[in-house]
Amino acid sequence: MNIKLVDKKIADIDSDILIEFLTKDELAECEHSDILQKAGFKAEQDTTCFLYEKGILFCGVDSKKSDDLRSAASCMIKMLKSSNYKSAKMSVISKSTLSALVEGIILGGYEFNEYKSEPKKAALEEISFALNDFKLDELETIFNEALIIANATCYTRDIVNRAPQEINPQTLAHAAQSLAYENSLLCNILQEDDLAKENMNAMLAVGRASVHGSALIHLAYKPQKAKKVVTLVGKGLTYDSGGLSLKAPTSMVTMKMDKAGACAVLGIIKAVSELKLDIEVHAFIGAVENMVGGNAYKPDDVLVSRSKTTIEVRNTDAEGRLVLADVLDYAQDKVKADYIFDFATLTGACMIALGQYTTGLMGHSHKLKHDISRAGSDSGEMISSLPFNRHLKKLLKSEIADISNTASKPYGGAITAGMFLDKFIKEENKNKWIHFDIAGTAYTESPWDCNVYGATGAGVRLMCEFLREVK
Ligand code: BES
Ligand code: ZN
Ligand code: ZN
């Protein structure tokens, strides 16, 4: 489907269907209010009403703000895709809401059909945005950038949605290599023998029972004059069975999504390179599969991590933090960054704390957390800060090693996981680091906002928004 900006008045565009967004107040004023009322349309947010004979699709919105328009555009596109119309048109509402409409259309219209033998093909070919009285040069960049970010989000979704028999640590590394090739990024892959030389024993232990070798993926985007250097780290568990602390069958289903942090990081570096932002970005991914087997790592093992910190394993299902401990340590040695952001589907506890719709944000710098919260509001991704404290930190104490991989009490699990990672952040980087727990937000089995069944691409829009504003 093609989406385009057209430098014409809406009436001058030839299209099968006109799309109109209506608030309740506007409904009362609307020339079609009688028929709409008869049809039972109340302009409630995320409801639609098709006036086939008039060739208009009405979409209800609570307001003409970005968040409401994004969500309404998602409902609209689903409706249109189920029709047989080939083209549709709508007016640009304002400069500040154009991105949200583009995102709503692309993200809400996304479908993952790779494994369907007969995927439904939508008839819709084209959506035109009428500029009306807006100037093309004022909106063109906004439009093109919104397309880049939405498409990068779909790229992330596509990899997360792929089945675990297809995406394993090695094929994830191949996907990263292809991205590097297409977007002219630097790419370095460390295989298990390299990881052993780097003493990345925590990461290696997690992947030991897998038939697929673990890999550390490092991609870099280096523009000529970079204002800042940013390190991104992603949890890339291509499957999390829980290991010997095996997950219950119902909890194991969907664990192909445990690679969503890694895929988000790939989507972010893709978008940054296409937006040609003048910041240097490094993406580090720990690609590992957590399986069972005779050589599996065990509860009671003590691992010597790359930083020499010893870790008592009490639960092999708390594997993400073990992988990230080594990757964060490696990343800090390789790149002196101004910001270090890690993305991980780290804890079920984060979902319990914040719900499925909000990403957990952890770190030490109040200023950085504040700036990121702003990027959250501007991007439409919901994020909320979970505060570290010294009492929870004590729960990670181990009697036999430097730290335990699980807390001794069951509450505050998202925060204790974050504080575990903090142990591997070097003193000089404490205020540069933020941990994003996307366990709740990365994947959904019921559509919400502009998210459809499956991967959401959480983190991509948020980080693009933040990085665009980096000074
Ligand atoms: N990948 C899971 C976290 C997760 C759970 C992500 C549900 C998405 C949905 C992680 O590796 C895990 O299993 N964490 C454990 C930690 C516990 C053993 C301390 C958890 O959350 O139960
Ligand atoms: Zn796990
Ligand atoms: Zn996991």
Side-chain angles (χ1 to χ4, degrees):
M1 189 191 51
N2 182 28
I3 311 180
K4 58 181 189 185
L5 270 187
V6 182
D7 196 0
K8 285 186 182 167
K9 301 261 190 232
I10 187 99
D12 299 333
I13 297 178
D14 191 21
S15 218
D16 294 345
I17 287 289
L18 167 68
I19 296 155
E20 293 249 28
F21 293 94
L22 277 190
T23 61
K24 289 199 175 76
D25 291 347
E26 287 167 336
L27 172 64
E29 310 285 302
C30 164
E31 61 170 303
H32 304 290
S33 72
D34 283 352
I35 331 178
L36 288 169
Q37 231 115 48
K38 275 193 196 127
F41 181 65
K42 298 198 183 79
E44 305 269 1
Q45 174 71 41
D46 296 345
T47 61
T48 54
C49 186
F50 231 134
L51 295 189
Y52 296 95
E53 286 180 3
K54 306 235 175 272
I56 311 178
L57 173 57
F58 287 96
C59 308
V61 285
D62 284 344
S63 76
K64 295 283 177 85
K65 292 192 181 140
S66 286
D67 287 348
D68 290 336
L69 287 170
R70 188 185 299 106
S71 188
S74 289
C75 295
M76 173 278 285
I77 192 73
K78 282 176 202 149
M79 188 75 190
L80 263 190
K81 280 182 76 178
S82 66
S83 78
N84 284 323
Y85 296 107
K86 285 202 170 141
S87 58
K89 61 180 177 182
M90 60 204 279
S91 290
V92 169
I93 295 169
S94 64
K95 196 170 157 183
S96 63
T97 56
L98 178 59
S99 308
L101 288 175
V102 171
E103 287 164 5
I105 293 170
I106 295 185
L107 300 176
Y110 171 90
E111 277 177 73
F112 182 74
N113 284 328
E114 283 299 302
Y115 305 131
K116 295 265 192 209
S117 46
E118 286 174 20
K120 308 182 274 306
K121 221 181 153 317
L124 188 68
E125 286 168 5
E126 190 167 86
I127 298 191
S128 305
F129 275 99
L131 277 168
N132 296 320
D133 294 325
F134 289 100
K135 297 264 172 303
L136 181 64
D137 55 352
E138 270 182 37
L139 295 186
E140 217 171 15
T141 315
I142 297 176
F143 180 74
N144 290 332
E145 292 187 352
L147 283 179
I148 289 175
I149 295 169
N151 287 327
T153 308
C154 294
Y155 164 86
T156 293
R157 289 179 177 185
D158 274 341
I159 314 178
V160 178
N161 283 330
R162 286 184 183 272
Q165 95 257 29
E166 203 185 332
I167 302 288
N168 58 56
Q170 294 299 315
T171 55
L172 184 60
H174 296 156
Q177 278 168 327
S178 306
L179 176 66
Y181 179 76
E182 279 155 26
N183 286 35
S184 307
L185 309 172
L186 303 172
C187 177
N188 184 29
I189 312 274
L190 275 67
Q191 296 291 354
E192 285 192 344
D193 46 352
D194 307 308
L195 300 176
K197 282 185 206 135
E198 287 284 343
N199 299 313
M200 299 180 72
N201 302 312
M203 172 167 169
L204 280 167
V206 174
R208 208 161 59 211
S210 169
V211 296
H212 306 289
S214 301
L216 190 153
I217 303 162
H218 177 191
L219 297 182
Y221 163 70
K222 290 187 176 182
Q224 296 255 301
K225 285 193 207 108
K227 285 188 290 201
K228 285 274 152 52
V229 179
V230 179
T231 284
L232 306 171
V233 172
K235 171 177 173 182
L237 262 288
T238 62
Y239 203 69
D240 181 12
S241 70
L244 290 179
S245 313
L246 196 64
K247 283 188 186 290
T250 50
S251 310
M252 205 185 294
V253 183
T254 72
M255 278 303 139
K256 66 169 184 184
M257 61 83 130
D258 217 16
K259 58 185 182 298
C263 301
V265 157
L266 290 177
I268 297 163
I269 200 166
K270 174 179 160 69
V272 168
S273 64
E274 290 169 11
L275 293 168
K276 300 193 171 62
L277 298 188
D278 46 4
I279 42 175
E280 182 173 319
V281 178
H282 292 262
F284 293 91
I285 289 170
V288 185
E289 189 183 52
N290 187 20
M291 299 297 282
V292 292
N295 62 345
Y297 84 123
K298 306 169 195 71
D300 289 350
D301 276 347
V302 174
L303 311 174
V304 184
S305 68
R306 186 179 186 278
S307 73
K308 305 273 185 313
T309 300
T310 59
I311 307 167
E312 179 189 358
V313 177
R314 292 183 71 90
N315 190 320
T316 62
D317 198 11
E319 83 300 332
R321 61 195 79 182
L322 300 174
V323 173
L324 290 176
D326 276 349
V327 179
L328 281 167
D329 189 64
Y330 177 84
Q332 291 172 89
D333 277 353
K334 290 293 154 190
V335 178
K336 293 285 156 259
D338 298 294
Y339 299 106
I340 302 169
F341 299 127
D342 77 74
F343 292 84
T345 46
L346 205 62
T347 65
C350 187
M351 234 184 298
I352 291 169
L354 296 175
Q356 213 206 322
Y357 313 110
T358 305
T359 290
L361 168 78
M362 285 156 259
H364 298 285
S365 163
H366 293 296
K367 157 115 181 44
L368 189 50
K369 284 191 273 188
H370 175 268
D371 292 350
I372 287 179
S373 298
R374 166 164 299 184
S377 324
D378 292 347
S379 69
E381 279 196 48
M382 293 194 288
I383 48 179
S384 188
S385 180
L386 294 170
F388 289 158
N389 68 61
R390 64 188 192 284
H391 306 288
L392 285 170
K393 187 175 180 174
K394 281 191 215 141
L395 305 181
L396 289 166
K397 209 170 156 295
S398 164
E399 293 298 329
I400 63 161
D402 298 338
I403 192 167
S404 164
N405 84 327
T406 50
S408 55
K409 288 202 175 104
Y411 305 116
I415 299 176
T416 49
M419 298 199 87
F420 179 94
L421 298 182
D422 176 45
K423 180 94 177 161
F424 300 88
I425 301 296
K426 296 175 200 291
E427 217 40 59
E428 66 270 25
N429 291 329
K430 291 287 185 201
N431 283 321
K432 300 176 178 170
W433 167 66
I434 293 288
H435 159 57
F436 294 92
D437 194 329
I438 55 170
T441 49
Y443 197 87
T444 182
E445 293 193 289
S446 38
W448 59 278
D449 198 66
C450 57
N451 301 306
V452 298
Y453 182 95
T456 62
V460 179
R461 280 187 291 143
L462 163 73
M463 238 325 94
C464 288
E465 186 60 44
F466 177 81
L467 295 176
R468 282 207 286 191
E469 298 300 318
V470 159
K471 301 262 162 16

